[in-house]
Amino acid sequence: MQLLVKNIDVLAGIENTGLRRKMGKEMKTLTSVKNAYLTADGGKITGYGKMEDLPANADLAQAIIDAKGGIVLPAFCDSHTHIVYAGSREGEFVDKINGLSYEEIAKRGGGILNSAELLHNTSEDSLFDSAFARLKQMLASGIGSVEIKSGYGLNTQDEIKMLRVIKRLKAASPMTIKSTFLGAHAVPKEYKGRQSEYVDLICKEMIPAVAKENLADFIDVFCDVGFFTPEETAKMLEAGAAYGLRPKIHANELAASGGIQIGVAHKALSVDHLEFTGEAEIAALLSSQTMPTLLPGAAFFLEMNYPPARKMIDSGLGVALATDYNPGSSPSGNMKFVLSLACIKMKMSPQEAINAATLNGAYAMGLEKTQGSITVGKRADLFVSKPVPSLEFLPYAYGSDLTAKTILGGEVVFENKN
Ligand code: NIG
Ligand code: FE
C-alpha cells in the first residue's frame, strides 16, 4: 500500500550513510527536515523531503495522513523488556517505601522468585493476554520493535512456556519482536545452595530444549552480586554460543560485577543496566561491537545511581536506551518517560536520547538494517507526535501523552483518541 505523510513539522532521525549505530559525538546529530513529507510503499520508506517539493503524484497515495504539524521520528526500538509475567508486585513496592532494598527483597524469596511462583500457576493463554495488552500500551508510546525475555520460569517447562508465549506474540502483533532466553535470571528456590547444579541444568537441558524448538534469538544472564558470577556467566554464554545464541546480558546493576567485561569477551550484542561503570568498563566497551544499554526507568524506580551516560558518550561510546518493562524494577513501558529520565537524570541531550532509543536500540536487537532511522528502503515504522512546539518539547513535557499515531510497516497501528 502507498502511504503519504504530509505536513510534518520536523521529520527527524534521517540516516543515509549506512551507519549501523551512533557513537560518541555522532549521537548529538539527529538529521532532520523542517516542514516535510514522507512516502512509503509496500511497508518501506520510498522518499521524503520538503513539503514544497512534494511530488505532483504523491497525493494519489492510497493512504494520506496529515501530521498537522506533529514531529515524525523512527518508531522507538525497545531492546530490553520482561513483559511476559504473571500478576504484579506492588506489595514489594510498598516494602521498598518502608526501607527494604531490591536485594533484601530478593533474599527473602521475593522479587524474581515471587514472579516465578505466580507464573508457574498461570496458563500460557493468560500470559499471552496480559503481555499482548502491555504491547498495546507500548505501541501507544511510539514503540515499534521490542525485545522480550523469558526468566520467570526458572525450570525447563516454564521457561519454554514463556518463550512459546513470545513466539505467539511475534505472530499476533504488528510490532517486530525478538526473544531472549533468560533462564539465568535467578536461582530457583528448589536449587537454593546448589547454584552450580542449576547452571548445569541451564547448559545441558534448557539451552538445548530452547534451541530445538527455535524459541530464542538471544541468551541473557543476570551477572551480578547475589545472582550469577562472571565464571558461571561465561559457562552459560559458551553453552548458548554452541547453538548460535548471541548474548545480551544484565550486568553491573548492583555492583561492579565484572559482567561488562564478560559480555564483551563473549561478543555480546549488548550489555544492559551498567549503573556501576568505571574507566575499565568503558575501555573494554570502546574496543568492542557491544552496545551499552541504559535502563534509567529501573534506576528511577529502585532509586539507584544512574549509569554515567555523559562520561560514556564523552569517551566515544554509543549508548542505547530501553524501558526494562518488568514487574519488579520498572513496571512501565513508556519510552517517552525513559527519554525524559535520560535527559533530566543522565544529562543526555534530547537528540542523543532519541538516537539511543531508535538506531542504537535497533542495533541492540540486530535490527539496524531495517529499523531505527528514516532511510529509504527501511521499514516505514514511525512515531507521529501531536502538534508540539519543538523536538525538545517531547522529553521536556515528561509524563504527557504526546503520541498522535504509531505507524508500522506503513500502516497506522495506533491512533490516539485523546
Ligand atoms: O532488569 N535485574 C534483573 N532483572 C530485571 C528485574 C526483574 C524483576 O525484578 O522482576 C531488571 O531489572
Ligand atoms: Fe532487565
Side-chain angles (χ1 to χ4, degrees):
M1 192 181 67
Q2 291 164 323
L3 168 78
L4 166 67
V5 187
K6 63 181 188 181
N7 297 325
I8 303 168
D9 183 38
V10 182
L11 174 68
I14 296 167
E15 191 45 67
N16 280 326
T17 61
L19 205 64
R20 295 178 55 210
R21 56 178 169 155
K22 291 205 172 180
M23 299 177 72
K25 286 196 178 70
E26 288 162 351
M27 287 201 65
K28 284 199 181 4
T29 313
L30 194 66
T31 305
S32 59
V33 176
K34 259 308 266 168
N35 194 19
Y37 74 89
L38 177 142
T39 54
D41 197 359
K44 293 186 177 156
I45 298 171
T46 50
Y48 53 81
K50 283 194 155 302
M51 273 306 281
E52 62 214 47
D53 301 327
L54 186 69
N57 61 357
D59 264 338
L60 299 175
Q62 288 137 309
I64 299 179
I65 291 169
D66 189 339
K68 296 188 183 123
I71 304 244
V72 171
L73 303 174
F76 299 121
C77 299
D78 189 355
S79 61
H80 181 138
T81 81
H82 310 246
I83 59 161
V84 176
Y85 62 83
S88 50
R89 306 213 314 252
E90 61 276 27
E92 294 173 7
F93 172 68
V94 176
D95 290 342
K96 270 183 232 120
I97 294 169
N98 290 328
L100 284 186
S101 72
Y102 184 76
E103 281 162 288
E104 282 162 344
I105 291 169
K107 276 210 188 96
R108 294 195 320 185
I112 295 166
L113 297 187
N114 182 355
S115 287
E117 186 71 32
L118 290 165
L119 184 127
H120 184 67
N121 296 310
T122 304
S123 72
E124 195 180 302
D125 283 349
S126 153
L127 288 171
F128 174 85
D129 290 344
S130 59
F132 194 72
R134 289 178 196 118
L135 281 179
K136 279 196 165 163
Q137 290 172 2
M138 295 166 81
L139 261 188
S141 85
I143 295 171
S145 309
V146 195
E147 180 257 20
I148 312 174
K149 301 170 191 297
S150 68
Y152 295 120
L154 309 183
N155 62 50
T156 308
Q157 201 187 343
D158 288 338
E159 283 295 309
I160 297 266
K161 175 164 89 174
M162 289 188 76
L163 290 166
R164 285 190 185 139
V165 170
I166 302 173
K167 187 175 177 179
R168 283 172 62 188
L169 294 169
K170 285 186 183 188
S173 168
M175 299 163 94
T176 301
I177 297 174
K178 291 282 184 181
S179 65
T180 300
F181 167 64
L182 175 55
H185 200 188
V187 177
K189 62 177 187 308
E190 311 82 81
Y191 280 84
K192 201 165 180 213
R194 297 188 295 134
Q195 178 147 339
S196 64
E197 287 177 44
Y198 184 60
V199 171
D200 281 344
L201 181 81
I202 289 177
C203 294
K204 298 197 177 121
E205 186 178 301
M206 290 193 199
I207 292 172
V210 167
K212 192 166 168 221
E213 278 191 51
N214 202 10
L215 287 172
D217 300 301
F218 305 112
I219 182 168
D220 191 349
V221 172
F222 189 4
C223 179
D224 227 316
V225 284
F227 291 86
F228 295 91
T229 65
E231 293 72 30
E232 290 165 338
T233 303
K235 196 171 169 185
M236 292 183 273
L237 298 187
E238 275 153 33
Y243 290 91
L245 296 175
R246 194 153 174 209
K248 277 172 68 62
I249 69 169
H250 284 73
N252 296 45
E253 175 183 3
L254 308 171
S257 59
I260 293 178
Q261 285 88 339
I262 284 290
V264 166
H266 288 82
K267 301 199 168 17
L269 187 52
S270 71
V271 288
D272 303 22
H273 271 293
L274 319 188
E275 283 78 359
F276 289 83
T277 300
E279 302 288 348
E281 285 77 15
I282 290 176
L285 286 164
L286 275 171
S287 64
S288 79
Q289 304 289 311
T290 302
M291 178 61 72
T293 298
L294 313 181
L295 314 167
F300 169 76
F301 189 80
L302 299 181
E303 291 198 283
M304 296 184 297
N305 287 330
Y306 288 81
R310 204 53 280 142
K311 197 167 174 207
M312 294 168 87
I313 297 170
D314 292 344
S315 305
L317 285 174
V319 302
L321 286 167
T323 65
D324 195 17
Y325 194 173
N326 77 76
S329 70
S330 185
S332 159
N334 188 331
M335 188 60 99
K336 197 178 139 296
F337 183 57
V338 169
L339 296 180
S340 297
L341 284 175
C343 296
I344 299 162
K345 296 292 188 182
M346 302 199 294
K347 306 291 174 229
M348 288 171 67
S349 71
Q351 289 75 10
E352 287 173 328
I354 290 168
N355 278 319
T358 55
L359 186 62
N360 285 1
Y363 179 95
M365 292 186 269
L367 291 175
E368 76 282 3
K369 291 201 178 116
T370 47
Q371 265 107 330
S373 64
I374 305 295
T375 305
V376 170
K378 277 197 183 184
R379 272 174 63 94
D381 285 5
L382 310 169
F383 161 84
V384 184
S385 83
K386 294 179 182 171
V388 290
S390 66
L391 181 100
E392 288 81 0
F393 190 88
L394 295 172
Y396 154 84
Y398 78 92
S400 52
D401 170 18
L402 296 178
T403 313
K405 289 184 176 64
T406 305
I407 297 174
L408 296 182
E411 299 202 11
V412 177
V413 292
F414 168 76
E415 185 149 16
N416 202 340
K417 305 275 188 248
N418 299 322

